Amino acid sequence: MIFMNFSNFIPEHMERRGKIVLEENLRIIERVLEQRSVPEEGIKEELIELLLTKLSLMDTDKDPRAIRIGEREARVWSKLQERSVFYFNHGVGRSGNLIDPQPKAPGASIMYKLTNQLLTSFLKKLGLKVKAFATPVATGLSLSLCLSALRRKYGIREVIYPFAGHKSPIKAISLAGLRMRLVETKIFGDTVKAPVEDIEKAIKKDRCAVLSTLTFFPPREEDLVEIAKLCEEEGVPHIVNGAYAIQNNFYLDKLKKALKYRVDAIVSSTDKNLFTPIGGGIIYSKDEKFLKEISLSYPGRASANPIVNTLISLLAIGFKRYKELMKEQKESKELLDKLLTELAEEKNEKLLEVKNPIASAITTKKDPIELAGKLYNLRVTGPRGVRKDDKFGTSYLGVYKYNYIVINASIGVRRDDIYKVVEKLREVI
């Protein structure tokens, strides 16, 4: 990487031995830069820190001889602030394009490009033949970037939205300056779905797009592959909200099938899938040109922080460990279903029969909102109580059959927590 002269400090044989260790460690970083693929084995944090430090030292605000007279020169008051963005003070992107190199930030530009290449390789290893880039905003705003790109490219005016009970996509549609046409859901057994034939009726071939959803709270499901087929047949653009789709093969398999038809872009969250702090997204697509169009939707530069967090996760976890985490998540969900089934039989309740690889739902004769509150006071975070007449919360524009509590078993959950949450639920249900 950078030559350093250690001559005549210590005996030559010791110097040689030390260089072997140094070169071996530096080689790990060099391999990442050469291969530009997510590593199989996770990398030690001190080496990730070394890589990020070296890249940040390339930015012009680190030049000790620079004459900085612009209005935006990365003048940062506190070292705490600098550390919060890993010294990438200039951020990423340019005013015209989020993923364009930034002249004042060569190091940050390399860091961002590397992150996107690692993301693409990561998704490819998971079986998705797509290109990807990390966004400095979470799922809702990332969806808005995609919809804004569709508006420019195709002149769309309206978004067909099969109702999903998620507020951020609705706000994303509004932020993109588009009208929303809601497709109401219906009950099929325990499942709530928006019928594909109703989506077809809502489609106007001229200037509309579909925003579908892949990942839900129970009892909602969606026929993603059928929607992708419909969009291809009708020539209608199609964006998929796959907030936590990457962590489970059930969702990945649906994406693979849908990508054979019309899917313009998919959005996922970094915090839900890659263990980052909240604030980052992933946008991926078969169409690299459309990804470029999406990047043009972002106004101005962006903070490097969410991008750095994505890169750190990819390097620190490694692909092999991520696959193990996916396996553990599947096992945790199976354990959750087993324990909730036993609890349902014990309390004369029911585990809802819904195809969801992340979350489960159990009925309750008590007020589910009060139960969720009691669980919160018992230091349980995450359960979601939904009343059957809550039109938004049930993802059904009417009255559902049951009150219920949703429990998640997403990636990273501990088996011990699965046992504990069911025990706490047993106390209050």
Side-chain angles (χ1 to χ4, degrees):
M1 296 179 77
I2 296 176
F3 175 75
M4 290 178 282
N5 186 356
F6 300 116
S7 299
N8 301 320
F9 283 112
I10 55 177
E12 189 175 339
H13 71 283
M14 291 174 62
E15 181 187 334
R16 284 198 303 271
R17 185 67 181 88
K19 281 182 175 178
I20 289 171
V21 179
L22 178 61
E23 288 169 2
E24 190 67 29
N25 279 296
L26 294 180
R27 182 62 188 149
I28 294 171
I29 299 174
E30 289 172 345
R31 195 175 298 120
V32 170
L33 294 170
E34 289 169 0
Q35 296 179 351
R36 301 174 190 190
S37 174
V38 64
E40 280 295 314
E41 302 286 347
I43 293 173
K44 292 187 293 184
E45 290 190 357
E46 53 264 40
L47 293 179
I48 299 173
E49 186 174 3
L50 178 60
L51 170 62
L52 294 173
T53 299
K54 285 185 175 294
L55 290 176
S56 69
L57 284 171
M58 295 175 68
D59 290 352
T60 59
D61 58 304
K62 313 305 186 307
D63 182 355
R65 297 185 181 180
I67 301 168
R68 298 192 290 165
I69 58 170
E71 86 291 351
R72 183 180 283 166
E73 292 288 357
R75 300 181 183 98
V76 178
W77 187 266
S78 170
K79 286 292 179 185
L80 287 174
Q81 294 166 322
E82 289 195 303
R83 288 201 295 271
S84 73
V85 292
F86 226 103
Y87 298 92
F88 292 108
N89 299 323
H90 274 295
V92 296
R94 303 188 71 177
S95 59
N97 187 350
L98 179 61
I99 59 176
D100 269 0
Q102 164 60 246
K104 292 181 181 178
S109 299
I110 293 170
M111 181 275 297
Y112 195 7
K113 182 77 171 179
L114 177 64
T115 301
N116 295 338
Q117 290 175 332
L118 263 58
L119 265 179
T120 295
S121 75
F122 175 70
L123 294 172
K124 184 177 180 181
K125 287 184 177 185
L126 289 173
L128 299 177
K129 296 178 181 179
V130 292
K131 297 288 185 178
F133 74 91
T135 67
V137 290
T139 307
L141 282 171
S142 294
L143 287 171
S144 194
L145 295 178
C146 295
L147 295 171
S148 295
L150 288 183
R151 184 179 183 180
R152 285 196 314 277
K153 185 172 182 179
Y154 297 107
I156 68 165
R157 295 179 179 176
E158 187 173 65
V159 176
I160 309 301
Y161 183 52
F163 187 65
H166 302 159
K167 294 180 181 178
S168 60
I170 294 172
K171 293 180 179 180
I173 294 168
S174 176
L175 187 63
L178 298 165
R179 296 191 304 269
M180 180 179 69
R181 176 173 293 214
L182 200 66
V183 177
E184 296 188 9
T185 52
K186 296 179 181 177
I187 297 175
F188 301 86
D190 288 348
T191 298
V192 173
K193 288 185 179 182
V196 175
E197 55 268 26
D198 289 353
I199 299 171
E200 184 175 10
K201 291 174 186 175
I203 287 176
K204 293 179 179 178
K205 291 185 181 180
D206 185 36
R207 299 185 179 182
C208 77
V210 173
L211 172 57
S212 68
T213 311
L214 177 59
T215 54
F216 298 95
F217 298 119
R220 184 73 165 81
E221 293 182 22
E222 192 144 283
D223 296 317
L224 178 69
V225 179
E226 294 304 312
I227 293 172
K229 285 181 183 177
L230 173 64
C231 289
E232 182 168 88
E233 290 166 3
E234 300 290 344
V236 173
H238 179 201
I239 303 297
V240 177
N241 178 7
Y244 42 93
I246 294 171
Q247 62 181 275
N248 190 282
N249 284 318
F250 176 83
Y251 290 136
L252 290 170
D253 289 342
K254 280 197 170 189
L255 281 178
K256 289 174 199 174
K257 292 173 183 175
L259 283 164
K260 295 177 182 176
Y261 304 100
R262 182 74 187 259
V263 175
D264 291 73
I266 307 146
V267 173
S268 295
S269 164
T270 58
D271 68 276
K272 292 182 177 71
N273 296 284
L274 294 178
F275 303 91
T276 70
I278 285 177
I282 307 166
I283 300 178
Y284 43 113
S285 172
K286 294 183 297 183
D287 187 346
E288 194 169 4
K289 288 183 179 178
F290 185 57
L291 284 180
K292 179 85 170 178
E293 191 71 32
I294 295 170
S295 76
L296 293 171
S297 298
Y298 191 93
R301 299 187 201 176
S303 169
N305 184 269
I307 311 302
V308 170
N309 284 328
T310 301
L311 177 59
I312 289 172
S313 282
L314 290 168
L315 292 175
I317 300 170
F319 189 71
K320 181 179 177 183
R321 179 63 181 128
Y322 195 83
K323 290 291 286 184
E324 291 171 355
L325 288 165
M326 290 175 69
K327 182 174 180 288
E328 291 167 14
Q329 184 277 317
K330 183 180 178 182
E331 292 169 351
S332 293
K333 175 61 164 60
E334 290 169 354
L335 174 62
L336 177 64
D337 284 348
K338 175 180 176 292
L339 296 176
L340 287 179
T341 299
E342 292 171 358
L343 178 61
E345 291 173 357
E346 176 187 327
K347 299 291 186 178
N348 196 27
E349 297 291 355
K350 175 181 179 176
L351 185 69
L352 296 183
E353 296 179 16
V354 180
K355 293 178 182 177
N356 189 308
I358 306 295
S360 304
I362 184 172
T363 65
T364 176
K365 298 176 185 67
K366 297 181 180 179
D367 186 331
I369 304 298
E370 290 183 9
L371 288 185
K374 288 179 179 179
L375 289 171
Y376 180 81
N377 290 331
L378 290 170
R379 302 168 76 176
V380 179
T381 58
R384 185 170 181 263
V386 182
R387 295 181 181 127
K388 61 184 179 181
D389 60 352
D390 182 342
K391 295 181 181 180
F392 196 90
T394 58
S395 308
Y396 174 69
L397 302 183
V399 177
Y400 189 59
K401 298 183 289 185
Y402 313 101
N403 295 323
Y404 60 90
I405 297 282
V406 176
I407 307 288
N408 287 281
S410 58
I411 194 164
V413 71
R414 297 176 299 185
R415 287 178 65 86
D416 187 49
D417 285 336
I418 298 291
Y419 284 108
K420 286 179 178 177
V421 70
V422 176
E423 274 309 304
K424 297 294 184 184
L425 184 58
R426 179 175 275 107
E427 291 177 24
V428 300
I429 198 168

